[in-house]
């Protein structure tokens, strides 16, 4: 890909993020469902428009690969959203502060995903056999997601959080949108720079995203090997994550069968990678299967009532 494409795309992303935080969301506030729906529609529209540009610049095959990658990444991000809900609930983060945490968390995720995608592309170029490792890993992950029970978090057992609390002085009070403040650790003591609970939440969100990226990065390489398409579809999915969170935060529990749909998607992509040398599956077929499985699992969730002992939300 021309270097100008990479530079232009990243400049556009930085501009959109600056516009989001510096203009439209300068003041902390609780994001309403209506506002979140508007932002979600905007991010999806931008992704669709970018895909159309990909079609003009690189051809129909590349456009379908971009859309398939975007759909896979957007679907897998649902797991992130559920864990974010648990994290915010555990630390009792006020609604008006959640958007700011997600903004900076996603900014960090963009940097880490970029590094992981670059590493994945190099590995695939140098060691072609690793595609089979990725494929087997995705099949295993899909099986584990379907039959491994619901997700849970244990912040106190998170090694990164333990490290933060060991080396960074912490205050137990929120101080608005600030991650660090000057405060006396003991009554009457000297003022010190301490981290607020909001910083601890941000660290936990970042480390959680790294864990989920271990699944999602191999999955998107199963859809396309083009690093530019992998990166751009991943970025668009991440950019829409915040608004999707506020849309789904109150209704995500209704989609109790979605985890099975996601597990099928992961397993399908894994099998696609394993068979890539013998029976390659066309991108149009892949896109149709992924979309059909996800839509089907959502519709079935609305029709079939959940059972308390099973079908736990991811």
């Amino acid at each position: 890909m021309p270097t100008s494409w990479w530079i232009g795309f990243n400049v556009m992303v930085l501009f959109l993020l600056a516009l989001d935080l510096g203009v439209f969301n300068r003041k902390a506030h609780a994001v309403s469902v209506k506002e979140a729906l508007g932002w979600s529609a905007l991010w999806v529209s931008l992704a669709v428009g970018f895909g159309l540009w990909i079609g003009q610049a690189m051809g129909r095959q590349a456009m379908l690969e971009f859309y398939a990658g975007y759909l896979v990444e957007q679907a897998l991000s649902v797991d992130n959203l559920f864990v974010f809900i648990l994290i915010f609930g555990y630390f009792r983060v006020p609604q008006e502060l959640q958007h700011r945490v997600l903004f900076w968390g996603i900014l960090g995720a963009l940097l880490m995903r970029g590094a992981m995608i670059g590493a994945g592309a190099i590995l695939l170029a140098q060691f072609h056999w690793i595609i089979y490792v990725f494929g087997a890993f995705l099949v295993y992950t899909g099986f584990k997601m379907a039959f491994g029970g619901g997700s849970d978090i244990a912040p106190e057992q998170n090694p990164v959080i333990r490290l933060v609390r060991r080396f960074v002085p912490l205050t137990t009070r929120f101080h608005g949108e600030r991650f660090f403040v000057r405060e006396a650790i003991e009554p009457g003591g000297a003022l010190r720079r301490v981290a607020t609970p909001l910083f601890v939440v941000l660290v936990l969100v970042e480390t959680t995203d790294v864990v989920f990226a271990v699944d999602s990065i191999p999955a998107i390489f199963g859809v396309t090997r083009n690093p530019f398409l992998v990166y751009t579809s991943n970025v668009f999915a991440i950019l829409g994550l915040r608004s999707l969170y506020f849309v789904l935060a109150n209704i995500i529990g209704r989609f109790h069968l979605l985890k099975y749909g996601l597990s099928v998607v992961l397993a399908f992509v894994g099998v696609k990678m394993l068979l890539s040398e013998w029976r390659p599956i066309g991108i149009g077929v892949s896109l149709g299967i992924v979309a059909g499985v996800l839509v089907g699992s959502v519709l079935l969730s609305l029709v079939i009532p959940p059972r308390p002992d099973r079908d736990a939300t991811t």
Side-chain angles (χ1 to χ4, degrees), residues 205-226:
V205 166
E206 294 283 14
T207 53
T208 298
D209 182 76
V210 172
V211 173
F212 280 105
V214 173
D215 294 339
S216 66
I217 297 301
I220 199 168
F221 273 112
V223 174
T224 176
R225 308 284 180 83
N226 186 309

Side-chain angles (χ1 to χ4, degrees), residues 67-172:
Y67 284 141
Y70 174 70
L71 183 60
V72 168
E73 289 298 312
Q74 195 75 75
L76 293 178
S77 68
V78 173
D79 253 10
N80 297 48
L81 299 180
F82 185 73
V83 175
F84 291 168
I85 292 171
L86 293 177
I87 293 173
F88 287 145
Y90 181 91
F91 287 96
R92 295 182 174 85
V93 180
Q95 286 190 340
E96 63 271 15
L97 301 181
Q98 293 177 7
H99 180 276
R100 188 58 59 99
V101 173
L102 290 175
F103 176 91
W104 289 108
I106 286 171
L107 189 61
L110 291 174
L111 298 175
M112 289 187 289
R113 294 289 182 97
M116 294 178 72
I117 289 170
I122 292 173
L123 287 174
L124 287 174
Q126 298 295 324
F127 309 101
H128 180 72
W129 53 265
I130 206 168
I131 194 73
Y132 305 118
V133 177
F134 282 179
F137 175 72
L138 290 178
V139 172
Y140 166 76
T141 303
F143 181 85
K144 185 178 179 182
M145 179 181 290
F147 303 104
S151 298
D152 198 3
I153 59 169
E156 298 300 330
Q157 299 178 13
N158 186 295
V160 178
I161 296 301
R162 289 181 176 179
L163 193 65
V164 170
R165 289 181 169 170
R166 181 176 180 180
F167 293 101
V168 180
L170 299 173
T171 177
T172 58

Side-chain angles (χ1 to χ4, degrees), residues 272 275-282:
K272 182 177 183 293
L275 298 178
S276 59
E277 293 298 318
W278 297 279
R279 287 188 175 273
I281 301 175

Side-chain angles (χ1 to χ4, degrees), residues 30-45:
V31 178
S32 66
V33 174
K34 182 179 179 180
E35 181 183 355
L37 282 171
W39 277 103
S40 294
L42 174 63
W43 291 121
V44 171
S45 298

